[in-house]
Amino acid sequence: MKRVCIIFFALNGLLLSAQVTQKRTLSMLGSPFEMIVVAKDIMEADGYIDLAVAEVSLIENIISDWIPTTPLSEVNRNAGNIPVQVPQELFDLVERSIKVSELTSGAFDISYASMDKIWKFDGSMSRMPSPEEIKNSVSKVGYKNIILDQKTHSIFLKNTGMKLGLGGIGQGFIADKIKAMLVAKGVQAGIVNISGDINAWGKQLNGEQWKIGIKNPLNKDKVFATFPIEDSAVETSGSYEKFVTFNGKRYSHIIDTRTGYPATGVISVTVFAKSTELADALATGLFVLGVDVGLDLVNQLPGIECIYVDDIGKIFASKNIDLKKYNNE
């Protein structure tokens, strides 16, 4: 579940110095999609946003696992059978995904799509799955069984029934692609927001940096910190809306695919990085790793910062974030 703890502040439609800030909100990739572009006039801004929308559709038809005609769907259909040659950008994205899996000790794993959906978060669960059911549910998951061939740009899934899903990294990848495309076309400032995967560049028309506000999910009406962002990305993963409780223990909808059990102890994690793709993937992995292990990892990664909110509402930040400096309270 994304967009749970993050909001951002931006000017909309303000005319200043012969420039405008134009915003458009629509639904794409099965999620809310928002573009903000600074341009010389509304017509130019709308043209840039149209280009961004077209880019989303183009990439979606390469990396989606639910559109049956995509190269990724072809990889999944041939699991345990034959390697499938794929476009370079899909190959590279899967390769980077595996590196994040290695970095997070498997807490992030794009083969999560192989998992049996035994956990329900719609209120229908009346009992915990058995240990055997949980173990079996993740028997086909494992990033080490994704075989890449650099020479042929092919992907092979070793085991029948394996599937890849890029939902935990694909939206960030697309946000980065949109930003790069628009910057190359001369757009000096804007924001891409794909269901909470946010990449911002340049500044607002008044010369100020774009700002994002972070909420504590246990106090949703209040922003506890506001951060300026410029030429950087931010992503939040959270579970305060989707969870089940058994024997007094709260189980989030974010599953640790290494064990089959839902992640516990964390309600949200917000990640700051230069790349939306990396922030997107790390947010999932850090959520699963938990506060102590996650902070220890982030504190070793140059250019990466994060903020955790645990299941009792306590806030933790990585070593280079001074919460007091940005605190709204």
Side-chain angles (χ1 to χ4, degrees):
M1 180 69 184
K2 296 180 181 177
R3 300 187 308 112
V4 296
C5 301
I6 196 162
I7 61 173
F8 63 89
F9 308 94
L11 301 176
N12 182 26
L14 176 62
L15 182 62
L16 183 67
S17 303
Q19 284 188 313
V20 297
T21 301
Q22 177 74 335
K23 179 170 75 171
R24 189 187 304 176
T25 303
L26 59 159
S27 179
M28 298 194 75
L29 306 167
S31 303
F33 175 83
E34 189 165 52
M35 279 294 311
I36 297 176
V37 170
V38 174
K40 67 181 182 181
D41 54 40
I42 296 296
M43 183 176 294
E44 183 181 70
D46 280 337
Y48 287 135
I49 294 173
D50 288 341
L51 288 174
V53 171
E55 183 77 359
V56 172
S57 297
L58 182 67
I59 300 172
E60 186 179 23
N61 279 285
I62 296 173
I63 71 171
S64 170
D65 64 312
W66 57 269
I67 298 175
T69 54
T70 66
L72 185 63
S73 292
E74 185 71 10
V75 170
N76 289 342
R77 275 193 296 272
N78 284 280
N81 186 17
I82 58 172
V84 174
Q85 191 172 26
V86 299
Q88 184 71 51
E89 61 185 342
L90 175 57
F91 183 91
D92 292 344
L93 180 57
V94 171
E95 186 175 45
R96 293 193 300 272
S97 298
I98 292 173
K99 290 179 180 178
V100 177
S101 294
E102 293 169 344
L103 183 66
T104 60
S105 302
F108 171 81
D109 191 332
I110 58 172
S111 68
Y112 75 89
S114 314
M115 186 172 54
D116 295 332
K117 308 299 188 294
I118 62 171
W119 294 91
K120 309 293 183 184
F121 301 93
D122 56 4
S124 64
M125 288 189 73
S126 59
R127 67 170 183 90
M128 279 269 294
S130 69
E132 184 177 6
E133 288 173 323
I134 293 170
K135 181 180 179 181
N136 290 338
S137 72
V138 292
S139 61
K140 297 182 181 70
V141 177
Y143 71 91
K144 293 181 180 179
N145 291 320
I146 305 170
I147 309 303
L148 303 181
D149 188 322
Q150 292 279 358
K151 292 182 179 179
T152 61
H153 297 145
S154 66
I155 302 173
F156 177 54
L157 306 182
K158 285 178 65 174
N159 300 324
T160 302
M162 275 191 74
K163 293 180 181 179
L164 303 184
L166 296 171
I169 194 170
Q171 290 179 339
F173 168 70
I174 291 173
D176 288 341
K177 292 279 286 186
I178 291 172
K179 173 188 172 182
M181 178 192 69
L182 293 181
V183 168
K185 291 185 177 297
V187 179
Q188 296 182 357
I191 293 178
V192 186
N193 179 11
I194 307 178
S195 189
D197 292 282
I198 297 172
N199 199 326
W201 70 101
K203 294 182 179 179
Q204 300 184 65
L205 289 180
N206 61 2
E208 293 184 2
Q209 294 171 301
W210 304 105
K211 296 180 176 67
I212 61 98
I214 300 179
K215 292 181 177 181
N216 187 324
L218 299 182
N219 188 4
K220 293 180 289 182
D221 296 328
K222 192 170 186 180
V223 174
F224 72 80
T226 302
F227 291 87
I229 54 172
E230 185 176 349
D231 296 322
S232 61
V234 60
E235 152 70 7
T236 293
S237 284
S239 68
Y240 77 97
E241 287 181 333
K242 290 187 176 183
F243 62 92
V244 292
T245 303
F246 292 113
N247 300 320
K249 190 171 184 178
R250 187 180 186 278
Y251 295 90
S252 83
H253 79 286
I254 299 176
I255 308 295
D256 184 346
T257 55
R258 301 170 299 179
T259 65
Y261 284 86
T264 60
V266 175
I267 293 182
S268 75
V269 59
T270 299
V271 179
F272 299 86
K274 283 295 183 182
S275 155
T276 324
E277 176 189 305
L278 183 56
D280 193 5
L282 280 178
T284 301
L286 293 173
F287 192 102
V288 170
L289 289 174
V291 175
D292 292 339
V293 177
L295 286 176
D296 183 61
L297 173 61
V298 169
N299 287 335
Q300 299 177 60
L301 299 176
I304 308 295
E305 303 297 339
C306 76
I307 297 173
Y308 275 97
V309 180
D310 72 8
D311 56 3
I312 60 172
K314 190 173 180 181
I315 300 165
F316 303 84
S318 53
K319 65 181 181 181
N320 291 323
I321 291 182
D322 182 1
L323 283 177
K324 293 181 181 179
K325 181 178 179 181
Y326 302 103
N327 201 304
N328 291 351
E329 298 177 352

